[in-house]
Amino acid sequence: MTDRPLRPVDLARLAGLSTQQIRNYEDTGVLPPAGRTASGYRTFGETHRQALLTYRTLVKGYGPVAAARIMQTVHAGDVPAALALVDAAHAALHEERTALRATGEALETLGNPPRTASPPPAGSGGLRIGEVAALLGVRTSALRVWEAAGLLAPPRARGTGYRVYGPDEVRDARIVHSLRRSHYLFHQIGPVLQELRREGDGAALRAALAARGRTLTARTRAMLAGAGRLYDYLDGADGLAGVTGVPGVTGLTGLTGNRGVTAGGTTTGSTAGGPGPSPR
């Protein structure tokens, strides 16, 4: 921790960044407004150092775009909106886990389905919709609904125009049926089918799912670290003071407007959003 004012180059060296990146972060609101010396040079302090560390920790789990939006929203004075961005990122990650679990459940149900699973009768060229419905124990209307939702795409026989379900189409119908019985929604089932079609067989898909699961676990841990750092930043334990976080209260004491940043040895009278020698 430092009690002396920091120049852009000092803050850049602490984080291993360029001075231009530090200026950009302040200009875009990733960092709170800097103080200014009498000659117009930026001065930073401990609050800015903690803001920079918070942003860089958030990036590891939330990505640079979401991390920047979170910090910008905090420094704009709307803590509830910033926390809503955090919530949205975690909700999106939950959706990814749900899709991953759905794919795994489909594979467990089907085993490791070969391309010839549920083969059509010899010489028939495929199964009709009624035969597939009987095989699965569903109505033909269910298969039509799944097709309308884009989950199935059985080709049509020449001349008659009847739907023809080959081995792959039967396999897809079995996956849809299995996941619908587990109460998965259509938008959750679509990615399962896409994964299986892309990987080609159950073994390859299982390996891909395991790798993705490890990636999601690592990302979750990184998001937890970022959320913890953000909590400290908002709570004042590592920098920010005066943040209430109460819905409907959007003020950030000492961060916005002409009051400037008053913590950590910075000067008041910030000109962020107003005139000032921005290159310095």
Side-chain angles (χ1 to χ4, degrees):
M1 177 177 288
T2 177
D3 293 327
R4 66 179 177 82
L6 300 172
R7 300 168 299 169
V9 65
D10 298 324
L11 195 58
R13 286 170 179 167
L14 287 173
L17 301 171
S18 69
T19 54
Q20 186 58 52
Q21 283 177 294
I22 298 299
R23 296 188 188 103
N24 291 343
Y25 286 160
E26 194 234 340
D27 289 340
T28 58
V30 170
L31 298 180
R36 297 282 180 172
T37 65
S39 56
Y41 285 93
R42 289 178 171 92
T43 59
F44 298 100
E46 181 60 20
T47 298
H48 298 90
R49 191 179 77 88
Q50 293 299 334
L52 183 58
L53 291 174
T54 299
Y55 168 70
R56 287 169 67 82
T57 305
L58 286 170
V59 165
K60 296 176 183 178
Y62 297 83
V65 175
R69 289 184 62 198
I70 291 168
M71 297 301 290
Q72 289 162 351
T73 307
V74 167
H75 296 143
D78 195 347
V79 174
L83 297 180
L85 293 172
V86 173
D87 292 341
H90 284 270
L93 185 64
H94 174 69
E95 283 296 316
E96 289 188 51
R97 285 194 180 280
T98 298
L100 192 69
R101 184 172 63 251
T103 307
E105 289 185 3
L107 285 177
E108 288 301 318
T109 299
L110 298 175
N112 187 356
R115 286 293 185 177
T116 57
S118 303
S124 68
L127 299 177
R128 300 282 181 84
I129 188 171
E131 295 171 316
V132 176
L135 179 67
L136 301 180
V138 300
R139 296 173 181 267
T140 56
S141 58
L143 292 169
R144 293 190 179 95
V145 169
W146 301 344
E147 182 179 344
L151 302 177
L152 302 178
R156 301 277 182 156
R158 292 183 179 180
T160 64
Y162 291 136
R163 296 172 176 83
V164 179
Y165 289 77
D168 289 347
E169 289 76 33
V170 172
R171 178 204 61 196
D172 290 351
R174 292 178 62 196
I175 291 174
V176 175
H177 179 49
S178 172
L179 295 180
R180 288 297 290 163
R181 292 179 65 181
S182 297
H183 308 292
Y184 284 95
L185 303 178
F186 288 156
H187 76 274
Q188 297 169 323
I189 297 173
V192 176
L193 297 172
Q194 293 170 10
E195 288 286 351
L196 187 55
R197 292 163 184 162
R198 178 166 55 247
E199 297 297 338
D201 62 64
L205 182 53
R206 282 189 180 88
L209 294 180
R212 184 174 300 179
R214 291 190 293 271
T215 298
L216 291 181
T217 296
R219 186 179 169 199
T220 299
R221 292 173 63 91
M223 290 174 77
L224 289 174
R229 171 67 74 170
L230 180 65
Y231 174 85
D232 288 340
Y233 185 60
L234 294 177
D235 194 50
D238 282 328
L240 269 180
V243 178
T244 65
V246 178
V249 179
T250 59
L252 288 175
T253 301
L255 285 183
T256 57
N258 292 326
R259 302 173 67 179
V261 179
T262 59
T266 59
T267 61
T268 58
S270 169
T271 57
S278 59
R280 298 178 178 176

